[in-house]
Amino acid sequence: MDMDGDWPLPRPRTPFRIDRRRSAAALARKTSIASTFSSLAMPVVIEVVQRTKALATEVDPEAFHQLRVAFRKLRALYWAYSPWLGEEATAQASDEFKRLAAVAGGTRDWDIAGDLLRTAQKSDASIELLVSAAREKRAQAVAHSQALINSDTVEAFLNDAVLRAQTTLQSCCNDLPISTFAKKRVRMAQRTLRKRSRRAVRSEAGHEDNLHDVRKAGKKLRYLLEFFQPVIKGDHERTLKELTSVQKMLGEFNDIAASETLIRNTTFDAVPADVVEKSLQWLERKKCQRIEVASQRVKAISG
């Protein structure tokens, strides 16, 4: 969706006040649904703004990765509050978060592909040609991200989006406590993860897509637990550790699968077709190895 066409992004006339000392840890179980939204959203917004400002000169792959993660966290938070924010407002904000994450992620994708190709090069020196080409594609992705992610525009959009959400929530649930609501949304995210895990275990055709769906559902649950842990009962450290472990294995598989798709869909004018094919065959072998490990971990959490 083109958010510039559907949702203008002016700076809010009333500046959103940010209390930098307030964090999720300060949440109380009797705090209202409305007030918790800003206290959870604004630290992430501040991080995004700081990282987008640094993009003008930043080429560190981790910086691009963390920016993409921050946008994903905002998508998860908007999903959590969507029953009160409304479907249209949630979709508008989430689509823009997704677009910005994809722009930031282009550099990270080429970093991952480059690392994998350097490993493949150890077994076939000719792949060095593709490693060099991937390095050039990475530089192009950096320039693309820097051109499309304007810090002033992003800051204006985020302030406006949070202000709109806060206004909506204050008008409909300013006196409703967060604890019951948070537990309900976390349970829903847990059910989604379990459902997708079971589907992945049962499936054969489209297994890669199903594993990717499990990975996305796991991320959402992890982010919600991190957001709402102060206001929901129980010790969720074990769940978070398990999710982190599963996500690591699914991430390793996804890195290979995504790199294979990236290389297959990219034109390399200066690289012979047989060199590209060798790299794809290497990635396919690694993917087959990883899919078994990832599938076993998913099976373990599907129950």
Side-chain angles (χ1 to χ4, degrees):
M1 175 182 271
D2 180 6
M3 294 298 298
D4 291 332
D6 294 322
W7 190 5
L9 308 177
R11 287 187 179 276
R13 288 187 292 273
T14 305
F16 195 93
R17 294 186 177 182
I18 301 172
D19 182 358
R20 296 174 184 270
R21 295 169 300 178
R22 193 171 185 180
S23 67
L27 298 181
R29 292 173 62 191
K30 293 184 179 180
T31 306
S32 73
I33 293 174
S35 61
T36 55
F37 179 82
S38 60
S39 63
L40 293 173
M42 288 315 297
V44 187
V45 168
I46 291 169
E47 178 188 355
V48 168
V49 171
Q50 291 173 340
R51 291 191 182 280
T52 54
K53 288 182 184 297
L55 272 186
T57 56
E58 182 64 75
V59 295
D60 177 21
E62 187 62 20
F64 286 96
H65 173 60
Q66 291 304 323
L67 180 58
R68 179 162 60 176
V69 169
F71 283 124
R72 286 171 175 168
K73 287 181 178 180
L74 287 173
R75 285 184 69 197
L77 189 64
Y78 266 73
W79 175 86
Y81 284 84
S82 60
W84 295 107
L85 292 176
E87 184 177 336
E88 182 179 357
T90 301
Q92 287 179 328
S94 296
D95 285 348
E96 182 66 355
F97 297 149
K98 185 176 182 178
R99 184 188 72 81
L100 291 167
V103 173
T107 299
R108 174 68 171 175
D109 291 342
W110 280 111
D111 280 314
I112 292 169
D115 288 342
L116 288 167
L117 290 173
R118 279 188 287 275
T119 302
Q121 183 186 343
K122 295 176 183 177
S123 59
D124 191 329
S126 68
I127 294 178
E128 197 277 331
L129 290 170
L130 191 55
V131 172
S132 298
R135 194 178 299 118
E136 293 176 4
K137 295 293 184 182
R138 196 264 185 188
Q140 294 170 11
V142 171
H144 180 70
S145 296
Q146 291 172 331
L148 293 185
I149 301 181
N150 177 277
S151 61
D152 289 340
T153 303
V154 170
E155 183 175 7
F157 160 67
L158 291 175
N159 281 333
D160 187 53
V162 173
L163 183 60
R164 291 186 187 201
Q166 188 67 27
T167 301
T168 298
L169 293 171
Q170 286 174 340
S171 69
C172 63
C173 55
N174 201 37
D175 57 347
L176 299 177
I178 186 63
S179 56
T180 302
F181 175 76
K183 286 186 287 186
K184 182 178 180 180
R185 300 306 282 169
V186 166
R187 282 197 300 268
M188 185 170 290
Q190 288 173 325
R191 286 197 295 269
T192 299
L193 175 60
R194 190 175 298 113
K195 181 179 179 180
R196 291 186 178 182
S197 298
R198 289 172 176 170
R199 182 189 303 157
V201 169
R202 293 194 303 265
S203 69
E204 291 184 7
H207 192 46
E208 290 183 30
D209 291 338
N210 287 323
L211 287 177
H212 185 55
D213 287 342
V214 172
R215 182 168 174 261
K216 290 190 294 185
K219 283 182 179 180
K220 179 186 288 184
L221 175 57
R222 194 181 84 204
Y223 296 150
L224 293 188
L225 285 173
E226 291 172 351
F227 278 129
F228 292 133
Q229 197 166 11
V231 295
I232 54 180
K233 289 182 179 180
D235 182 8
H236 298 280
E237 288 299 324
R238 180 177 177 181
T239 302
L240 284 169
K241 287 181 179 179
E242 183 179 50
L243 283 171
T244 300
S245 175
V246 173
Q247 289 293 310
K248 182 176 183 296
M249 292 204 174
L250 287 173
E252 290 172 351
F253 164 73
N254 183 73
D255 286 348
I256 297 171
S259 294
E260 180 187 22
T261 300
L262 182 64
I263 292 169
R264 193 180 297 280
N265 294 337
T266 302
T267 300
F268 301 96
D269 295 329
V271 182
D274 67 308
V275 173
V276 176
E277 186 58 33
K278 287 178 185 177
S279 73
L280 291 173
Q281 290 173 359
W282 183 89
L283 287 167
E284 180 66 27
R285 290 195 297 273
K286 293 297 179 183
K287 186 175 69 174
C288 290
Q289 295 170 7
R290 288 291 181 182
I291 197 170
E292 291 300 325
V293 177
S295 297
Q296 289 302 315
R297 288 309 307 269
V298 168
K299 185 177 181 179
I301 67 171
S302 64

